[in-house]
Structure formats: structure tokens, C-alpha cells
Amino acid sequence: MSSRFWKAGKRRTVSAALAGACLVGTVGVAVWLAPDEAAEPPARARQYAVTQACLLTDQQGVAAAEAAVVWGAMQDSSAATAAKVSSLPVIGDQSVGNAVPYANTLVARKCDVVLAVGSTQVAAVTQIAPANPAVRFLVVGDTEASGNVTVIAPGAQTRAKVSEALAAAFGGRK
């Protein structure tokens, strides 16, 4: 009778030892496979401020010469203030009637500053500006400034003037 208890005790001891070895092995593997927090690369997503500037262009987008200059100034401003910048090309007929819905789209996107490059886009923006007094409009072209519309004459200083105007609009916010 005592031999039967001795065998049962031995089985329990062996079972407990195997369970312990499995537990130690599982914890060891988990620690070995766990990611090292110090080795994680920094987040690649850029943190933007709540301000946003949007550029209305012709169908060439920011590839057009004049738009590329303004886009460069917008990117400079974004780097300095963390403002989000985007562009929207007018697709199809390059008429004011076709460009107005695109300009209104930028207003609907809650752009704080809407920039326009090109005569059609400038005309569309100046047409919708009076109905949107909370939005600042910045146009590069030959037109009249009014209320919430700032005009920058195209030329050699366009990039610097756009950067200055955006810095004033964003007030250096981050």
C-alpha cells in the first residue's frame, strides 16, 4: 500500500516540475520576444496645429511655376508654425463658374487661409470672399484687396511675401 502512495507522490512531483519548467520557459520566451521600448523608432506622423492653409490652383496643381513658388512658401510656413497645408487643383473647364465650387470646397474644409494662384482661381476666390468673412483669403495676382482678401503681386518676392502673410495669419502659432 505504501508503494502505491509513493508512486502517486512521485507522479505529482514530476508533474509539478514539468509545469514549473513550462511556466519558466513561457515567461522566458515572452521576455525574449517582447519589443524593446528603447529600440522603437520615433513616430513618423507629423503633429499639426489646428490651423490650416489651402491652395487653389489650375489643373496643373503645384507643378505650375507660379503655384510651385506659393506652395514652397506654404511648406516653409508649415515647418515654422506646424500649420497643415494642402492644395486643390481646379479640374476641367478653367472658368470662374467651374472654379467657384472648388473654392467653396476649401472653405467647407475649414481652411483658415485660402490661397489662390492664377487669374481664374483668383477671380473665384474674390467672388466667394464676401460670403465667408471668417476665412482669410490670400491671392497672388492683379486684383483689388478688400475686407478679408489680401493681394500679393506676382514677382521675384512672391515666396517671401506669401511666407510673411501666412506668418501674420497664423500668428506664429504651433
Side-chain angles (χ1 to χ4, degrees):
M1 196 169 199
S2 66
S3 130
R4 189 166 36 137
F5 287 119
W6 184 82
K7 286 183 182 179
K10 188 175 179 182
R11 271 188 245 141
R12 281 189 221 133
T13 303
V14 170
S15 295
L18 285 174
C22 287
L23 179 63
V24 168
T26 302
V27 169
V29 168
V31 168
W32 181 57
L33 293 178
D36 182 16
E37 288 182 25
E40 288 185 32
R44 295 184 78 191
R46 183 164 177 213
Q47 298 297 317
Y48 287 104
V50 295
T51 53
Q52 184 174 193
C54 307
L55 175 62
L56 185 65
T57 68
D58 65 12
Q59 58 193 2
Q60 292 179 15
V62 296
E66 196 172 32
V69 171
V70 174
W71 182 247
M74 291 173 68
Q75 289 179 319
D76 294 345
S77 179
S78 177
T81 64
K84 185 176 181 180
V85 295
S86 63
S87 66
L88 180 65
V90 174
I91 305 299
D93 182 31
Q94 296 298 302
S95 66
V96 175
N98 188 42
V100 165
Y102 287 90
N104 282 324
T105 297
L106 296 179
V107 171
R109 285 186 187 173
K110 306 288 185 208
C111 297
D112 299 293
V113 180
V114 173
L115 295 93
V117 176
S119 59
T120 302
Q121 290 71 29
V122 167
V125 162
T126 56
Q127 183 177 326
I128 69 163
N132 298 285
V135 178
R136 294 184 72 165
F137 295 92
L138 178 60
V139 298
V140 178
D142 298 319
T143 189
E144 294 284 324
S146 63
N148 55 343
V149 178
T150 302
V151 178
I152 294 178
Q157 295 297 316
T158 300
R159 185 173 184 142
K161 289 179 182 180
V162 170
S163 291
E164 287 174 19
L166 288 173
F170 296 145
R173 293 180 270 185
K174 271 204 173 206

